[in-house]
Amino acid sequence: MPTAISELTTIRVGGPAREFCVATTGDELVSLVRDADRAGTDVLVVGGGSNLVVGDDGFDGRVIRVTGSRLDIDGETVTVDAGVEWDAVVQATIDAGLSGMEALSGIPGTTGATPIQNVGAYGASTSELLHSLTVYDRQTQETAVWTPERCGFGTHRSSVFKRSSRYVILDVTFALKKTTESLPVRYAALSERLDVQIGDVVPVPDLRAAVLALRGERGMVLDASDHDTWSVGSFFLNPVLPEVPEAAAHAPSYPDPAGTKIPAAWLIQNAGFPRGYGTEFGRGTAALSSKHVLAITNRGGATASDIMALAAHVRDGVQEKFGVTLTPECDLVNCALG
């Protein structure tokens, strides 16, 4: 049994849990959540812990680690328990001759987390593949099968699940295609790596290999020996602005239904925070990744307070330079940027 939540998260910070349980099936997960709710005990559901920062005081309630093993492939339909490791699902679908998930290769965490923030990468997103999911509603104490339309997917990685503890995802079903060809390549770095044009298709395994290589170069494939992967991935969201401040007028920009999207990495880099920044800040235990500036990493021995201090420092520097306020993409529990 873990003695601290730091053992359950990829950034490896977080104090103790008052209670710790493991759910291996959807029924066990519902039972553990329902029992805690009836007892008035706070609940924190943890999958792979790849998008979670918990404070140094830990969590005064029941922490439930979600695991699972069910991965059913029926033709072009794939149903997976919430606790199954995501990249294992991607590999299993490719082995079964299915296309759709390949651009989402190498993303850490469990399957149940993918609809929460509509996980996406290299031009692909969970919502495009989602067929349905089974959800437990803690308020009504009922379990129901949802369609994607009910999930509230939108811009800015949004969904009804994000920043809410009301719903618990039990399993997820995806609709893929039986083909050896990938989805059309949509991402410039990926097209360059594969030496193809945007919109071209390639063999599914080739696209997966290219994605894994690109992610590895950015420290985005988990490796216990590489402190650049001791992170929550991209710490800040790319801001979407109704108007771009004059100071950021030269930033790369992309149209968005809510305004104009500016890359957070560009803002951070150009506000004076290069890759690796932080080793001389505070205790030097938290720093930006040496591979890309969007990841705040634990260099060994960092506390949640160290992570929050560096994140606030970077946020404030961007605000001062460009007049843009960055917000965390990850979930913060019992901690906050100062």
mmCIF file of all heavy atoms in Angstrom, residues 250-288:
data_model
loop_
_atom_site.group_PDB
_atom_site.id
_atom_site.type_symbol
_atom_site.label_atom_id
_atom_site.label_comp_id
_atom_site.label_asym_id
_atom_site.label_seq_id
_atom_site.Cartn_x
_atom_site.Cartn_y
_atom_site.Cartn_z
ATOM 1 N N HIS A 250 3.314 39.401 -32.057
ATOM 2 C CA HIS A 250 4.194 38.633 -32.950
ATOM 3 C C HIS A 250 4.201 37.138 -32.629
ATOM 4 O O HIS A 250 4.937 36.373 -33.260
ATOM 5 C CB HIS A 250 5.618 39.186 -32.880
ATOM 6 C CG HIS A 250 5.733 40.612 -33.324
ATOM 7 N ND1 HIS A 250 5.445 41.012 -34.611
ATOM 8 C CD2 HIS A 250 6.069 41.738 -32.651
ATOM 9 C CE1 HIS A 250 5.621 42.317 -34.720
ATOM 10 N NE2 HIS A 250 5.994 42.779 -33.535
ATOM 11 N N ALA A 251 3.389 36.741 -31.671
ATOM 12 C CA ALA A 251 3.316 35.318 -31.314
ATOM 13 C C ALA A 251 2.616 34.528 -32.414
ATOM 14 O O ALA A 251 1.738 35.058 -33.107
ATOM 15 C CB ALA A 251 2.560 35.147 -30.002
ATOM 16 N N PRO A 252 2.971 33.263 -32.599
ATOM 17 C CA PRO A 252 2.174 32.411 -33.487
ATOM 18 C C PRO A 252 0.739 32.397 -32.987
ATOM 19 O O PRO A 252 0.492 32.424 -31.771
ATOM 20 C CB PRO A 252 2.833 31.034 -33.347
ATOM 21 C CG PRO A 252 4.185 31.294 -32.768
ATOM 22 C CD PRO A 252 4.065 32.527 -31.936
ATOM 23 N N SER A 253 -0.209 32.368 -33.889
ATOM 24 C CA SER A 253 -1.611 32.398 -33.468
ATOM 25 C C SER A 253 -2.451 31.491 -34.350
ATOM 26 O O SER A 253 -2.120 31.251 -35.521
ATOM 27 C CB SER A 253 -2.152 33.828 -33.507
ATOM 28 O OG SER A 253 -2.091 34.355 -34.828
ATOM 29 N N TYR A 254 -3.537 31.007 -33.770
ATOM 30 C CA TYR A 254 -4.407 30.068 -34.457
ATOM 31 C C TYR A 254 -5.856 30.436 -34.160
ATOM 32 O O TYR A 254 -6.200 30.766 -33.021
ATOM 33 C CB TYR A 254 -4.126 28.631 -33.992
ATOM 34 C CG TYR A 254 -2.665 28.251 -34.104
ATOM 35 C CD1 TYR A 254 -1.793 28.448 -33.029
ATOM 36 C CD2 TYR A 254 -2.145 27.749 -35.294
ATOM 37 C CE1 TYR A 254 -0.443 28.133 -33.132
ATOM 38 C CE2 TYR A 254 -0.798 27.428 -35.410
ATOM 39 C CZ TYR A 254 0.045 27.624 -34.327
ATOM 40 O OH TYR A 254 1.373 27.313 -34.431
ATOM 41 N N PRO A 255 -6.714 30.406 -35.162
ATOM 42 C CA PRO A 255 -8.120 30.746 -34.912
ATOM 43 C C PRO A 255 -8.785 29.735 -33.996
ATOM 44 O O PRO A 255 -8.469 28.547 -34.029
ATOM 45 C CB PRO A 255 -8.744 30.723 -36.316
ATOM 46 C CG PRO A 255 -7.838 29.851 -37.132
ATOM 47 C CD PRO A 255 -6.472 30.046 -36.570
ATOM 48 N N ASP A 256 -9.682 30.214 -33.159
ATOM 49 C CA ASP A 256 -10.424 29.378 -32.228
ATOM 50 C C ASP A 256 -11.835 29.956 -32.127
ATOM 51 O O ASP A 256 -12.003 31.177 -32.239
ATOM 52 C CB ASP A 256 -9.735 29.394 -30.848
ATOM 53 C CG ASP A 256 -10.365 28.436 -29.861
ATOM 54 O OD1 ASP A 256 -11.369 28.814 -29.208
ATOM 55 O OD2 ASP A 256 -9.871 27.296 -29.744
ATOM 56 N N PRO A 257 -12.838 29.107 -31.917
ATOM 57 C CA PRO A 257 -14.199 29.643 -31.807
ATOM 58 C C PRO A 257 -14.358 30.709 -30.728
ATOM 59 O O PRO A 257 -15.235 31.574 -30.822
ATOM 60 C CB PRO A 257 -15.033 28.400 -31.465
ATOM 61 C CG PRO A 257 -14.268 27.263 -32.045
ATOM 62 C CD PRO A 257 -12.824 27.638 -31.892
ATOM 63 N N ALA A 258 -13.480 30.686 -29.713
ATOM 64 C CA ALA A 258 -13.575 31.659 -28.626
ATOM 65 C C ALA A 258 -12.636 32.847 -28.814
ATOM 66 O O ALA A 258 -12.555 33.712 -27.946
ATOM 67 C CB ALA A 258 -13.296 30.986 -27.287
ATOM 68 N N GLY A 259 -11.911 32.884 -29.932
ATOM 69 C CA GLY A 259 -10.990 33.991 -30.155
ATOM 70 C C GLY A 259 -9.752 33.542 -30.897
ATOM 71 O O GLY A 259 -9.830 32.898 -31.940
ATOM 72 N N THR A 260 -8.584 33.829 -30.323
ATOM 73 C CA THR A 260 -7.306 33.474 -30.931
ATOM 74 C C THR A 260 -6.470 32.682 -29.940
ATOM 75 O O THR A 260 -6.306 33.088 -28.791
ATOM 76 C CB THR A 260 -6.532 34.746 -31.338
ATOM 77 O OG1 THR A 260 -7.334 35.507 -32.248
ATOM 78 C CG2 THR A 260 -5.215 34.378 -32.004
ATOM 79 N N LYS A 261 -5.964 31.546 -30.387
ATOM 80 C CA LYS A 261 -5.133 30.698 -29.524
ATOM 81 C C LYS A 261 -3.661 31.050 -29.726
ATOM 82 O O LYS A 261 -3.179 31.151 -30.856
ATOM 83 C CB LYS A 261 -5.365 29.226 -29.833
ATOM 84 C CG LYS A 261 -4.564 28.272 -28.953
ATOM 85 C CD LYS A 261 -4.764 26.821 -29.363
ATOM 86 C CE LYS A 261 -6.179 26.360 -29.091
ATOM 87 N NZ LYS A 261 -6.351 24.908 -29.388
ATOM 88 N N ILE A 262 -2.972 31.234 -28.594
ATOM 89 C CA ILE A 262 -1.540 31.522 -28.600
ATOM 90 C C ILE A 262 -0.824 30.363 -27.901
ATOM 91 O O ILE A 262 -1.242 29.937 -26.827
ATOM 92 C CB ILE A 262 -1.231 32.835 -27.845
ATOM 93 C CG1 ILE A 262 -2.020 34.001 -28.442
ATOM 94 C CG2 ILE A 262 0.265 33.129 -27.857
ATOM 95 C CD1 ILE A 262 -1.611 34.379 -29.827
ATOM 96 N N PRO A 263 0.265 29.844 -28.454
ATOM 97 C CA PRO A 263 0.970 28.742 -27.785
ATOM 98 C C PRO A 263 1.571 29.189 -26.451
ATOM 99 O O PRO A 263 2.350 30.147 -26.396
ATOM 100 C CB PRO A 263 2.065 28.357 -28.776
ATOM 101 C CG PRO A 263 1.620 28.901 -30.087
ATOM 102 C CD PRO A 263 0.851 30.145 -29.773
ATOM 103 N N ALA A 264 1.217 28.490 -25.397
ATOM 104 C CA ALA A 264 1.786 28.808 -24.088
ATOM 105 C C ALA A 264 3.299 28.653 -24.101
ATOM 106 O O ALA A 264 4.010 29.420 -23.441
ATOM 107 C CB ALA A 264 1.166 27.911 -23.016
ATOM 108 N N ALA A 265 3.798 27.686 -24.843
ATOM 109 C CA ALA A 265 5.246 27.472 -24.892
ATOM 110 C C ALA A 265 5.966 28.696 -25.457
ATOM 111 O O ALA A 265 7.039 29.074 -24.971
ATOM 112 C CB ALA A 265 5.567 26.235 -25.727
ATOM 113 N N TRP A 266 5.398 29.319 -26.481
ATOM 114 C CA TRP A 266 6.015 30.517 -27.056
ATOM 115 C C TRP A 266 6.054 31.641 -26.025
ATOM 116 O O TRP A 266 7.066 32.336 -25.874
ATOM 117 C CB TRP A 266 5.243 30.962 -28.291
ATOM 118 C CG TRP A 266 5.895 32.095 -29.036
ATOM 119 C CD1 TRP A 266 6.764 32.000 -30.083
ATOM 120 C CD2 TRP A 266 5.748 33.501 -28.763
ATOM 121 N NE1 TRP A 266 7.165 33.260 -30.487
ATOM 122 C CE2 TRP A 266 6.557 34.198 -29.694
ATOM 123 C CE3 TRP A 266 5.025 34.232 -27.827
ATOM 124 C CZ2 TRP A 266 6.645 35.588 -29.717
ATOM 125 C CZ3 TRP A 266 5.111 35.619 -27.843
ATOM 126 C CH2 TRP A 266 5.911 36.288 -28.778
ATOM 127 N N LEU A 267 4.937 31.821 -25.308
ATOM 128 C CA LEU A 267 4.870 32.870 -24.296
ATOM 129 C C LEU A 267 5.902 32.632 -23.194
ATOM 130 O O LEU A 267 6.596 33.562 -22.757
ATOM 131 C CB LEU A 267 3.465 32.928 -23.693
ATOM 132 C CG LEU A 267 2.344 33.349 -24.640
ATOM 133 C CD1 LEU A 267 0.979 33.100 -23.989
ATOM 134 C CD2 LEU A 267 2.489 34.807 -25.042
ATOM 135 N N ILE A 268 6.016 31.390 -22.747
ATOM 136 C CA ILE A 268 6.964 31.070 -21.680
ATOM 137 C C ILE A 268 8.399 31.302 -22.136
ATOM 138 O O ILE A 268 9.195 31.966 -21.455
ATOM 139 C CB ILE A 268 6.756 29.602 -21.227
ATOM 140 C CG1 ILE A 268 5.390 29.443 -20.542
ATOM 141 C CG2 ILE A 268 7.880 29.158 -20.286
ATOM 142 C CD1 ILE A 268 4.975 27.999 -20.328
ATOM 143 N N GLN A 269 8.725 30.765 -23.293
ATOM 144 C CA GLN A 269 10.086 30.897 -23.823
ATOM 145 C C GLN A 269 10.463 32.368 -23.996
ATOM 146 O O GLN A 269 11.571 32.805 -23.621
ATOM 147 C CB GLN A 269 10.179 30.179 -25.169
ATOM 148 C CG GLN A 269 11.568 30.179 -25.796
ATOM 149 C CD GLN A 269 12.448 29.052 -25.296
ATOM 150 O OE1 GLN A 269 11.978 27.944 -25.084
ATOM 151 N NE2 GLN A 269 13.715 29.335 -25.086
ATOM 152 N N ASN A 270 9.548 33.154 -24.547
ATOM 153 C CA ASN A 270 9.849 34.544 -24.862
ATOM 154 C C ASN A 270 9.672 35.487 -23.679
ATOM 155 O O ASN A 270 9.984 36.678 -23.784
ATOM 156 C CB ASN A 270 9.003 34.997 -26.050
ATOM 157 C CG ASN A 270 9.494 34.397 -27.352
ATOM 158 O OD1 ASN A 270 10.420 34.905 -27.974
ATOM 159 N ND2 ASN A 270 8.896 33.277 -27.751
ATOM 160 N N ALA A 271 9.191 34.943 -22.556
ATOM 161 C CA ALA A 271 9.151 35.731 -21.322
ATOM 162 C C ALA A 271 10.426 35.533 -20.508
ATOM 163 O O ALA A 271 10.539 36.051 -19.392
ATOM 164 C CB ALA A 271 7.927 35.356 -20.490
ATOM 165 N N GLY A 272 11.359 34.773 -21.055
ATOM 166 C CA GLY A 272 12.648 34.612 -20.382
ATOM 167 C C GLY A 272 12.814 33.322 -19.614
ATOM 168 O O GLY A 272 13.687 33.226 -18.736
ATOM 169 N N PHE A 273 12.030 32.309 -19.968
ATOM 170 C CA PHE A 273 12.119 31.019 -19.276
ATOM 171 C C PHE A 273 12.526 29.941 -20.282
ATOM 172 O O PHE A 273 11.682 29.325 -20.928
ATOM 173 C CB PHE A 273 10.780 30.661 -18.634
ATOM 174 C CG PHE A 273 10.285 31.697 -17.655
ATOM 175 C CD1 PHE A 273 9.242 32.543 -17.996
ATOM 176 C CD2 PHE A 273 10.869 31.822 -16.404
ATOM 177 C CE1 PHE A 273 8.782 33.496 -17.099
ATOM 178 C CE2 PHE A 273 10.411 32.770 -15.502
ATOM 179 C CZ PHE A 273 9.369 33.620 -15.855
ATOM 180 N N PRO A 274 13.797 29.685 -20.430
ATOM 181 C CA PRO A 274 14.260 28.683 -21.393
ATOM 182 C C PRO A 274 14.085 27.266 -20.847
ATOM 183 O O PRO A 274 13.771 27.063 -19.668
ATOM 184 C CB PRO A 274 15.741 29.021 -21.558
ATOM 185 C CG PRO A 274 16.119 29.587 -20.224
ATOM 186 C CD PRO A 274 14.915 30.349 -19.745
ATOM 187 N N ARG A 275 14.317 26.308 -21.708
ATOM 188 C CA ARG A 275 14.306 24.907 -21.275
ATOM 189 C C ARG A 275 15.311 24.710 -20.145
ATOM 190 O O ARG A 275 16.420 25.241 -20.198
ATOM 191 C CB ARG A 275 14.641 23.994 -22.452
ATOM 192 C CG ARG A 275 13.532 23.895 -23.487
ATOM 193 C CD ARG A 275 13.919 23.018 -24.649
ATOM 194 N NE ARG A 275 14.964 23.653 -25.466
ATOM 195 C CZ ARG A 275 15.499 23.105 -26.545
ATOM 196 N NH1 ARG A 275 15.125 21.892 -26.936
ATOM 197 N NH2 ARG A 275 16.424 23.744 -27.238
ATOM 198 N N GLY A 276 14.885 23.968 -19.117
ATOM 199 C CA GLY A 276 15.755 23.710 -17.979
ATOM 200 C C GLY A 276 15.720 24.780 -16.911
ATOM 201 O O GLY A 276 16.357 24.627 -15.858
ATOM 202 N N TYR A 277 14.976 25.857 -17.147
ATOM 203 C CA TYR A 277 14.924 26.945 -16.169
ATOM 204 C C TYR A 277 14.366 26.442 -14.833
ATOM 205 O O TYR A 277 13.396 25.689 -14.805
ATOM 206 C CB TYR A 277 14.028 28.077 -16.687
ATOM 207 C CG TYR A 277 13.895 29.233 -15.724
ATOM 208 C CD1 TYR A 277 14.776 30.303 -15.785
ATOM 209 C CD2 TYR A 277 12.917 29.237 -14.733
ATOM 210 C CE1 TYR A 277 14.678 31.365 -14.892
ATOM 211 C CE2 TYR A 277 12.807 30.281 -13.835
ATOM 212 C CZ TYR A 277 13.690 31.336 -13.918
ATOM 213 O OH TYR A 277 13.595 32.380 -13.030
ATOM 214 N N GLY A 278 14.979 26.868 -13.750
ATOM 215 C CA GLY A 278 14.461 26.547 -12.426
ATOM 216 C C GLY A 278 15.468 25.909 -11.500
ATOM 217 O O GLY A 278 15.243 25.851 -10.291
ATOM 218 N N THR A 279 16.576 25.434 -12.038
ATOM 219 C CA THR A 279 17.544 24.753 -11.181
ATOM 220 C C THR A 279 18.175 25.703 -10.164
ATOM 221 O O THR A 279 18.691 25.264 -9.141
ATOM 222 C CB THR A 279 18.658 24.088 -12.017
ATOM 223 O OG1 THR A 279 19.236 25.072 -12.886
ATOM 224 C CG2 THR A 279 18.082 22.952 -12.856
ATOM 225 N N GLU A 280 18.113 27.014 -10.458
ATOM 226 C CA GLU A 280 18.619 27.999 -9.504
ATOM 227 C C GLU A 280 17.488 28.792 -8.853
ATOM 228 O O GLU A 280 17.725 29.797 -8.182
ATOM 229 C CB GLU A 280 19.606 28.949 -10.202
ATOM 230 C CG GLU A 280 20.842 28.233 -10.714
ATOM 231 C CD GLU A 280 21.830 29.178 -11.373
ATOM 232 O OE1 GLU A 280 21.539 30.388 -11.429
ATOM 233 O OE2 GLU A 280 22.885 28.697 -11.827
ATOM 234 N N PHE A 281 16.250 28.324 -9.043
ATOM 235 C CA PHE A 281 15.085 28.969 -8.447
ATOM 236 C C PHE A 281 14.646 28.164 -7.234
ATOM 237 O O PHE A 281 14.553 26.933 -7.290
ATOM 238 C CB PHE A 281 13.945 29.043 -9.468
ATOM 239 C CG PHE A 281 12.655 29.573 -8.913
ATOM 240 C CD1 PHE A 281 12.443 30.932 -8.800
ATOM 241 C CD2 PHE A 281 11.653 28.702 -8.491
ATOM 242 C CE1 PHE A 281 11.250 31.428 -8.280
ATOM 243 C CE2 PHE A 281 10.465 29.183 -7.975
ATOM 244 C CZ PHE A 281 10.263 30.551 -7.864
ATOM 245 N N GLY A 282 14.357 28.838 -6.136
ATOM 246 C CA GLY A 282 13.923 28.118 -4.941
ATOM 247 C C GLY A 282 14.969 27.116 -4.492
ATOM 248 O O GLY A 282 16.155 27.432 -4.392
ATOM 249 N N ARG A 283 14.524 25.881 -4.264
ATOM 250 C CA ARG A 283 15.448 24.828 -3.832
ATOM 251 C C ARG A 283 16.112 24.110 -5.000
ATOM 252 O O ARG A 283 16.918 23.216 -4.802
ATOM 253 C CB ARG A 283 14.700 23.806 -2.957
ATOM 254 C CG ARG A 283 14.091 24.400 -1.694
ATOM 255 C CD ARG A 283 13.651 23.322 -0.713
ATOM 256 N NE ARG A 283 12.739 22.350 -1.305
ATOM 257 C CZ ARG A 283 12.906 21.027 -1.246
ATOM 258 N NH1 ARG A 283 13.967 20.517 -0.639
ATOM 259 N NH2 ARG A 283 12.011 20.211 -1.785
ATOM 260 N N GLY A 284 15.707 24.479 -6.222
ATOM 261 C CA GLY A 284 16.301 23.861 -7.401
ATOM 262 C C GLY A 284 15.788 22.459 -7.680
ATOM 263 O O GLY A 284 16.341 21.763 -8.539
ATOM 264 N N THR A 285 14.738 22.047 -6.985
ATOM 265 C CA THR A 285 14.209 20.687 -7.164
ATOM 266 C C THR A 285 13.124 20.607 -8.221
ATOM 267 O O THR A 285 12.743 19.515 -8.638
ATOM 268 C CB THR A 285 13.649 20.157 -5.838
ATOM 269 O OG1 THR A 285 12.696 21.101 -5.332
ATOM 270 C CG2 THR A 285 14.750 19.954 -4.810
ATOM 271 N N ALA A 286 12.597 21.764 -8.647
ATOM 272 C CA ALA A 286 11.609 21.818 -9.723
ATOM 273 C C ALA A 286 12.165 22.696 -10.829
ATOM 274 O O ALA A 286 12.771 23.742 -10.566
ATOM 275 C CB ALA A 286 10.284 22.378 -9.219
ATOM 276 N N ALA A 287 11.962 22.265 -12.068
ATOM 277 C CA ALA A 287 12.489 23.034 -13.197
ATOM 278 C C ALA A 287 11.672 22.727 -14.437
ATOM 279 O O ALA A 287 10.997 21.691 -14.518
ATOM 280 C CB ALA A 287 13.960 22.693 -13.442
ATOM 281 N N LEU A 288 11.742 23.633 -15.397
ATOM 282 C CA LEU A 288 11.166 23.327 -16.695
ATOM 283 C C LEU A 288 11.957 22.180 -17.314
ATOM 284 O O LEU A 288 13.154 22.041 -17.080
ATOM 285 C CB LEU A 288 11.211 24.553 -17.611
ATOM 286 C CG LEU A 288 10.478 25.815 -17.139
ATOM 287 C CD1 LEU A 288 10.543 26.881 -18.228
ATOM 288 C CD2 LEU A 288 9.034 25.508 -16.757
#
